[in-house]
Amino acid sequence: MSANGLLRSTLVAMTIPATIALSGCIFEDPQHDPSGLAIGAPAENQSFDDYVQKTREQLRTALKAKRFDKEAAPFSQYDLDQVVAMRAPFASGPNKAACDAAGNDTAHGKDVGFLMVHGLTDSPFLMTDVRDTLQSKFPCATFHGLLLPGHGTVPGDLVDVSYEDWIKTVRYGMDGFANGTDHVITIGYSMGAALIGREFDARRRDPRMTAMVLLSPGFAAKSDQAWLTPYARYVQSWVGKGENSDAAKYGSMAMNAAAEFHLLTEPYRDGTMDTFDIPVFMVASSDDHTVDPLLAADFFCNKVTNDNKRLIWYQGEEHLIDEHPLCEGVDIVKSAAPDWRTLNHAHTAITMHPDNQHYGMDGIIRRCDHYDEQSANSKCQTSSDAVYGELNLSDSASPGSLRRGTFNPDFVSMLDKMTHFIEVSLEVPGKTAN
């Protein structure tokens, strides 16, 4: 056996108990098989509007065949049209009336394109509250949202996806704006942040790239076992199988998807990514249980060289930033928000408004899947005084009292700061970097 083969065999043997421990609750259902209708990378010569329409049709076909034809109500009260609308890519052009009233200028988004990229197992719906707020601020702009390959249909379609297809899709999105678009501002959440960073690194001489917004940036997984995933996928298909009833995202994580995320983020982890001389707005939670927030802070301080940069650091239970050399542009915001029954910011909370009908405080989705015991899970779902936070609090909270956060109590303030950052990036007169 070659040295590489021996190494792989050894690591696979090491991985088996680790991946079994990661598996959690197992729900056996057909959603964990490939659909045969997986979303792939768009054709390069396809217009963005055609891409949106064709993807919507493909989603409809897949979801009808694999979910709605087989289950009475696979996503609770949501019907097929609603689920397709939530998961599909989007293209929204300028609001002509609002644009004309605002002055039809760069300050209000004229000739500006926003490209929005969701995270792993998510969908474009996770970007819609940010989109809608920015549309009100920049009514002359165009907003495009991508659906990454392997997403939107069933979790089984992540079993064969590759990060190269994700990058190819982001590249397509960058080139998908109409001629005359002078500024492109990319907004990525979680893995989406890593993807837009990789694409910036590949096209540094593109003069349209004006600014980057990185929300809960996924530059490395939080788990110290993530390095095993490229080997574990050969012996175990799933990191964890969950209930797939959320209309906006998957509840299961394929081991292959975790492995491809690990490979995608290698340049961030090993420090080989070159410096970013582009305006960057970043938001991270000290208590993030999904990705490594300190690596994001390190990247912000040591790799972002542009003077127009800002990091909103939501300070919760973990005081990592206290031991990190601070740099200019770090805005430390207390995470706890008693009025919103929020103890700290979860990874899953950053992009959503508290009033969101799906993920907001009074929304449909209540993240309680960290409770395996039925009585605790039921209490979490139904309690009128359950609190919201990240999973690092689950051991200290009484059983059933903690919901994983799905909304950001600081959303309005965050978007005000983001808007100012974008105005400075667009060189709007009278706007200066803080």
Side-chain angles (χ1 to χ4, degrees), residues 56-76:
R56 288 178 70 96
E57 293 171 357
Q58 189 171 341
L59 284 174
R60 169 177 285 279
T61 300
L63 288 167
K64 184 177 186 299
K66 300 301 179 180
R67 300 301 304 269
F68 284 88
D69 285 351
K70 297 180 178 181
E71 303 169 60
F75 302 102
S76 186

Side-chain angles (χ1 to χ4, degrees), residues 132-208:
D132 293 348
T133 303
L134 292 179
Q135 278 184 316
S136 70
K137 308 287 188 181
F138 303 98
C140 306
T142 296
F143 291 81
H144 287 174
L146 297 168
L147 178 64
L148 295 174
H151 292 77
T153 50
V154 295
D157 286 337
L158 287 175
V159 170
D160 296 320
V161 75
S162 73
Y163 80 84
E164 288 93 348
D165 286 336
W166 296 332
I167 290 178
K168 183 178 179 182
T169 300
V170 174
R171 183 167 301 129
Y172 166 82
M174 280 294 303
D175 295 330
F177 291 99
N179 292 334
T181 302
D182 296 329
H183 304 277
V184 175
I185 296 171
T186 53
I187 303 178
Y189 164 59
S190 191
M191 186 179 76
L195 285 166
I196 64 175
R198 289 288 302 264
E199 183 57 16
F200 169 76
D201 192 47
R203 58 164 79 211
R204 290 173 179 270
R205 289 186 172 86
D206 187 338
R208 300 173 306 148

Side-chain angles (χ1 to χ4, degrees), residues 382-402:
T382 60
S383 175
S384 61
D385 58 359
V387 295
Y388 295 87
E390 186 53 289
L391 296 181
N392 65 317
L393 303 179
S394 59
D395 289 339
S396 59
S398 61
S401 65
L402 177 72

